[in-house]
Amino acid sequence: MESPSLPMTAKDWTTTSLHRVFAMQGGEDDLSYVNNSDSQALAITLSKPILISTLESIKLFSDQTSPIRITDLGCATGSNTFTTVDTVVETLQRRYTAVYGGGGSPEFEAFFCDLPSNDFNMLFKLLAQKQKVDSPAKYFAGGVAGSFYDRLFPRGTIHVAVSLSALHWLSQIPEKVLEKGSRTWNKGKTWIEGAKKEVVEAYAEQSDKDLDDFMSCRKEEMVKGGVLFVLMAGRPSGSSSQFGDQDTRAKHPFTTTMEQAWQDLIDEGLIDEETRDGFNIPAYMRSPEEVAAGIDRCGGFKIEKMEFMKIVEYSDEKQEEWKKDPVSYGRARTNLVQAAIRPMVDAYLGPDLSHELFKRYENRVSTNQEFLHITCFYGVVVFSAIRI
């Protein structure tokens, strides 16, 4: 696979070059997504009843000689994707057995989809370990490398599509926010929280386009009566901020501490302001209204359920433990943010400067005693819809 040269330029963030480096951190070390996805797992657990309820209410697919095809769009690595696919398979198997008896359940195929930069080797290593325990395997598995903003499957072949903690990542940085001197230039920042209204609007415009592309592709790929289940980072109704409360706004991994760490590199002469201004995190937290509007624009789907949920970052017990050990807290917090964006930062700055950035980030978190006493919430929008 061709790799972009290092470091990447700001222009690369508005092209398909981003797809070649945009992935959760692979492997299984302390920085990996495998070991830093507990909050995503909690969100999946809390939203699981919505998925099960929808699967239990749909009309069963009548052709039992063909496999039921499931896909996880933006699967990353680790147990979260396997847990959800298992839920789909087990729920449908129970329904088929109840209706048709023990021999009535069709076979299942599961397609794990993500960008080519995803660590598919780790994904399938963990899947092989899981299937040894599950033996016989509950489904036949395959990997599909590609963007879920494009078509990935033939028309009318997918029965259940899920996307977990992925759709808030945009296909690219809006070109407008990198236009120097314009009203939409996101100067002095690497994300949109607290940015000018015009910058946020540029991100919202890109978000709408991406959601339209995602829904249009699924509309083509899914069978009539199929289930689309999506969980994404989101913001509450009526909030002009990406977050619903001030504590989360201050403590979120992409906000204050991240901006301070980039400024530290500038102040120390390791990078210039132009380098900082060329990097923007490609994430946008949609409101439930924005999601519903996108589904309505596309047509072809009926929303069964949509909710906004707040997911606490850590348990009270963990927070009390870290109050006694701020250094460990700083390390854990830094691992969390690196699991999400380290591959992008490595590609943009190169691994050495990327390492320096996250060292500054960890130091900032470890020495900020206020962070140990406030709680951050991750907002998520979750919905299930039926292909009509």
Side-chain angles (χ1 to χ4, degrees):
M1 181 181 69
E2 178 189 359
S3 296
S5 58
L6 296 177
M8 293 176 72
T9 65
K11 184 176 181 296
D12 288 319
W13 299 117
T14 63
T15 70
T16 53
S17 296
L18 179 60
H19 289 179
R20 297 205 292 271
V21 299
F22 190 15
M24 300 298 99
Q25 185 74 16
E28 50 186 334
D29 61 16
D30 289 345
L31 306 186
S32 66
Y33 182 80
V34 168
N35 290 315
N36 290 280
S37 52
D38 288 350
S39 61
Q40 292 91 331
L42 178 58
I44 292 168
T45 298
L46 292 177
S47 63
K48 187 176 176 179
I50 296 175
L51 173 60
I52 292 174
S53 174
T54 304
L55 291 171
E56 288 178 339
S57 67
I58 62 170
K59 182 179 178 181
L60 288 176
F61 310 105
S62 58
D63 184 5
Q64 296 172 58
T65 62
S66 298
I68 300 295
R69 297 183 182 92
I70 305 158
T71 182
D72 183 348
L73 303 160
C75 61
T77 58
S79 62
N80 289 344
T81 182
F82 305 142
T83 298
T84 305
V85 171
D86 282 350
T87 296
V88 173
V89 172
E90 290 164 3
T91 302
L92 291 177
Q93 280 179 331
R94 283 197 303 270
R95 291 199 61 205
Y96 274 101
T97 299
V99 173
Y100 297 107
S105 180
E107 294 183 309
F108 292 84
E109 287 183 304
F111 298 101
F112 297 96
C113 306
D114 214 314
L115 293 172
S117 47
N118 186 57
D119 190 351
F120 281 101
N121 286 337
M122 176 56 59
L123 175 73
F124 283 101
K125 173 186 173 182
L126 294 173
L127 179 61
Q129 294 171 357
K130 172 186 173 337
Q131 289 182 329
K132 284 182 181 178
V133 176
D134 285 348
S135 186
K138 299 174 183 176
Y139 50 81
F140 297 92
V144 177
S147 169
F148 54 42
Y149 295 121
D150 298 324
R151 280 282 301 278
L152 296 168
F153 300 100
R155 184 173 289 108
T157 57
I158 299 299
H159 299 84
V160 180
V162 301
S163 181
L164 311 168
S165 300
L167 196 53
H168 51 275
W169 295 109
L170 302 179
S171 65
Q172 66 172 59
I173 297 299
E175 295 182 13
K176 295 178 182 179
V177 306
L178 297 174
E179 294 174 356
K180 294 181 182 179
S182 69
R183 292 184 63 83
T184 54
W185 184 24
N186 198 21
K187 179 176 173 54
K189 300 183 68 61
T190 60
W191 197 43
I192 56 171
E193 180 58 28
K196 293 180 295 184
K197 177 171 69 74
E198 291 85 357
V199 174
V200 178
E201 288 173 349
Y203 264 78
E205 183 180 315
Q206 182 67 50
S207 167
D208 283 348
K209 178 186 180 302
D210 284 347
L211 184 57
D212 289 352
D213 289 343
F214 176 88
M215 294 300 302
S216 295
C217 291
R218 307 298 81 78
K219 182 178 177 179
E220 291 293 314
E221 294 166 349
M222 295 185 66
V223 304
K224 296 289 181 68
V227 172
L228 174 62
F229 175 78
V230 176
L231 183 156
M232 71 186 91
R235 70 181 195 275
S237 300
S239 174
S240 59
S241 162
Q242 290 284 282
F243 311 109
D245 63 273
Q246 181 58 44
D247 284 350
T248 297
R249 193 171 300 125
K251 195 180 180 184
H252 190 275
F254 294 167
T255 57
T256 307
T257 310
M258 180 58 66
E259 302 294 358
Q260 291 172 337
W262 281 90
Q263 188 62 47
D264 287 340
L265 295 189
I266 295 171
D267 293 344
E268 295 170 34
L270 295 175
I271 63 171
D272 55 24
E273 289 190 6
E274 184 176 357
T275 300
R276 186 266 314 280
D277 294 343
F279 183 84
N280 281 256
I281 297 173
Y284 181 82
M285 281 50 164
R286 301 177 181 91
S287 68
E289 290 78 12
E290 287 173 316
V291 176
I295 297 172
D296 185 59
R297 284 194 302 271
C298 176
F301 287 92
K302 175 178 177 289
I303 298 173
E304 288 291 294
K305 185 79 171 179
M306 182 177 297
E307 287 187 16
F308 173 80
M309 300 179 178
K310 291 173 67 174
I311 312 299
V312 67
E313 57 170 347
Y314 299 116
S315 66
D316 292 341
E317 294 79 11
K318 199 68 177 175
Q319 197 147 328
E320 289 302 315
E321 176 186 327
W322 272 327
K323 286 178 183 179
K324 303 170 186 174
D325 188 0
V327 172
S328 291
Y329 172 72
R331 188 178 306 116
R333 190 78 176 172
T334 306
N335 289 348
L336 180 71
V337 72
Q338 288 185 94
I341 66 170
R342 179 71 186 252
M344 283 187 289
V345 179
D346 279 357
Y348 184 71
L349 291 178
D352 293 339
L353 280 174
S354 176
H355 177 71
E356 294 301 322
L357 174 72
F358 289 110
K359 275 175 58 179
R360 305 313 186 271
Y361 185 95
E362 181 175 340
N363 180 63
R364 288 278 185 176
V365 176
S366 299
T367 56
N368 189 333
Q369 296 296 313
E370 180 186 0
F371 276 2
L372 296 169
H373 298 276
I374 63 176
T375 300
C376 171
F377 292 93
Y378 298 113
V380 298
V381 173
V382 56
F383 75 85
S384 62
I386 305 298
R387 176 70 174 91
I388 55 175

